[in-house]
Amino acid sequence: MPGLLDSAVKQLRDGRLVAIPTETVYGLAADAKNVVAVNQVFATKGRPSGHPLIVHIVNPVLPTMSSLEKQNAWQHILLDWSRDVSPQALALAEAFWPGPLTIILPKAKNVLLEVTGGQETVGIRCPNHPLAQELLKLFDGAVVAPSANRFGRISPTTADHVRDEFPDGDILILDGGACDVGIESTIVDLSRWDSHGAVILRPGAISKGMIDEVLGNLITSESHQSSNQGDISKPRVSGSLSAHYAPKTKLVLYDPNNIQSINLADYKGKKVAWAHFKDSSRIDFSLSCHLEELLLPSTSNDLAKCLYATLRTLDQSSVDVIYFEKLPDSEQWDAVRDRLGRASVGSGA
Ligand code: TXA
Ligand code: MG
């Protein structure tokens, strides 16, 4: 789509917004060095100004490069954004970029405070989607790109979802198909390395175990809520609000080992959606008139890929309540369980 890409580059240069596909979710991109454009992102999303944005950079690495050449290339581009590009940052970049990992580093002097939400740190990610990469290359700069949804709502994983979020917006949308990963990038904070090691602020497809392997176990996970409450010296992560990624329909998470406690009386005669794994305990929905049953995929990657699209479809199908089986406790489910939990808290509003 050369014509459309050229228009998208022009749009970015003019300080306007472009919705871009990434491997995680669609982003609402704007020139990371243009303060007017960055402010427009906050206004369009309805996002509070203290919530920092991720800077998305072009992939400077060629497959033929040696490990040293790759790390040099990452260092060169990261120094535009961070004053302290640590060996740990380079190791993570080499291992996982382009890919679904955001690294928090001390910001460089010229990075706009509007981008960082007033903080001294900046989040950086190199997305792994060919269209996003082509755009970044042609643009010859970096873009901020929060998920292309209104604040607090479900992140978009197709171009149609973006259109639904911003029906009257002056936003050019690059359609790169359905997102491969389906949930937002893992965020790892390296800015407090000396005192805290690496801290995972948001779980994602790059798991704690995968990061451990590269950094050698110096990693902790910070409870999202505690990172957000009271202490303003700590990074603020908007996805850390306990209510986020929320469908309009009430979403109830139930324990498949305790289905007796489910009270269906309130939903007698209403439309109920029931999402569960194959072979799990059956709920007796005979009281409810209309039942829509959804069989969940058995792997966390497959569920991540379809979770947001499923919640959107249910929102549109005038279901009164969604009963969703709780996800397993193991690490591989951390990221999807996190999103589903927040979706449930914010649902029905
Ligand atoms: O996968 C993704 O990361 C997607 C795609 C479009 O790249 N983007 C995304 O952006 O999820 P957004 O704005 O919806 O979420 C970014 C998160 C927010 O929770 C924000 O607070 C956090 O990253 N963040 C950004 N900069 C930060 C910083 N300096 N310190 C702590 N958290 C930061
Ligand atoms: Mg978001």
Side-chain angles (χ1 to χ4, degrees):
M1 51 174 79
L4 206 55
L5 270 172
D6 289 340
S7 311
V9 171
K10 181 167 184 321
Q11 194 96 343
L12 291 176
R13 297 219 168 107
D14 290 348
R16 307 233 290 275
L17 311 187
V18 178
I20 58 167
T22 84
E23 77 281 30
T24 58
V25 300
Y26 274 71
L28 194 58
D31 181 352
K33 297 207 163 163
N34 180 333
V35 71
V36 176
V38 170
N39 284 332
Q40 190 56 43
V41 170
F42 284 95
T44 304
K45 273 186 65 94
R47 177 172 173 129
S49 60
H51 290 277
L53 303 172
I54 296 171
V55 173
H56 292 62
I57 57 174
V58 73
N59 179 11
V61 156
L62 298 171
T64 50
M65 287 178 174
S66 68
S67 171
L68 184 65
E69 286 170 328
K70 284 182 184 167
Q71 294 215 359
N72 282 340
W74 287 121
Q75 180 164 39
H76 183 73
I77 192 164
L78 282 172
L79 281 170
D80 277 347
W81 302 97
S82 170
R83 62 172 183 269
D84 181 13
V85 179
S86 58
Q88 292 79 24
L90 295 178
L92 289 182
E94 190 187 353
F96 300 119
W97 280 355
L101 179 72
T102 295
I103 304 177
I104 308 289
L105 293 172
K107 82 175 196 71
K109 214 160 101 198
N110 56 352
V111 177
L112 293 171
L113 283 171
E114 284 77 3
V115 169
T116 69
Q119 303 180 79
E120 279 306 306
T121 57
V122 60
I124 309 165
R125 154 167 138 79
C126 179
N128 188 17
H129 191 291
L131 259 187
Q133 281 299 332
E134 265 184 82
L135 178 70
L136 287 164
K137 210 181 221 164
L138 288 172
F139 177 51
D140 197 20
V143 296
V144 292
S147 51
N149 52 279
R150 291 180 189 276
F151 182 67
R153 291 292 172 193
I154 306 171
S155 301
T157 54
T158 67
D160 278 344
H161 295 166
V162 181
R163 271 178 217 113
D164 289 347
E165 287 288 319
F166 304 108
D168 351 284
D170 170 29
I171 300 167
L172 191 155
I173 302 174
L174 291 181
D175 189 344
C179 300
D180 241 16
V181 176
I183 55 172
E184 304 78 359
S185 59
T186 307
I187 302 181
V188 62
D189 183 3
L190 295 181
S191 71
R192 297 174 281 163
W193 175 261
D194 289 343
S195 53
H196 291 71
V199 183
I200 293 187
L201 300 179
R202 179 174 73 183
I206 306 291
S207 67
K208 181 172 178 296
M210 291 159 79
I211 297 174
D212 268 343
E213 255 181 58
V214 176
L215 297 184
N217 276 328
L218 284 164
I219 184 164
T220 52
S221 289
E222 188 161 82
S223 141
H224 287 193
Q225 257 141 295
S226 68
S227 77
N228 216 34
Q229 278 167 8
D231 184 353
I232 55 160
S233 69
K234 287 192 175 171
R236 286 156 288 189
V237 183
S238 64
S240 71
L241 300 174
S242 56
H244 211 80
Y245 318 111
K248 297 187 178 103
T249 314
K250 179 90 195 130
L251 172 66
V252 179
L253 293 179
Y254 73 89
D255 180 351
N257 299 315
N258 189 19
I259 53 172
Q260 316 74 274
S261 66
I262 296 173
N263 176 11
L264 293 172
D266 288 350
Y267 296 102
K268 189 172 178 185
K270 300 217 165 137
K271 195 166 170 188
V272 173
W274 177 30
H276 63 95
F277 292 106
K278 194 164 167 266
D279 299 332
S280 64
S281 323
R282 296 198 66 81
I283 305 177
D284 178 11
F285 280 105
S286 50
L287 269 178
S288 313
C289 292
H290 315 282
L291 178 65
E292 187 173 327
E293 206 170 330
L294 280 109
L295 204 56
L296 297 173
S298 59
T299 69
S300 53
N301 286 349
D302 288 345
L303 180 54
K305 206 175 212 169
C306 68
L307 178 69
Y308 290 151
T310 303
L311 295 180
R312 275 176 188 274
T313 307
L314 289 171
D315 257 354
Q316 280 159 5
S317 64
S318 62
V319 165
D320 294 297
V321 64
I322 308 163
Y323 278 94
F324 208 112
E325 181 173 341
K326 276 191 177 157
L327 303 180
D329 278 333
S330 53
E331 180 184 305
Q332 74 180 112
W333 291 90
D334 277 357
V336 211
R337 203 175 50 248
D338 170 78
R339 303 308 192 279
L340 194 62
R342 291 168 207 284
S344 161
V345 173
S347 69

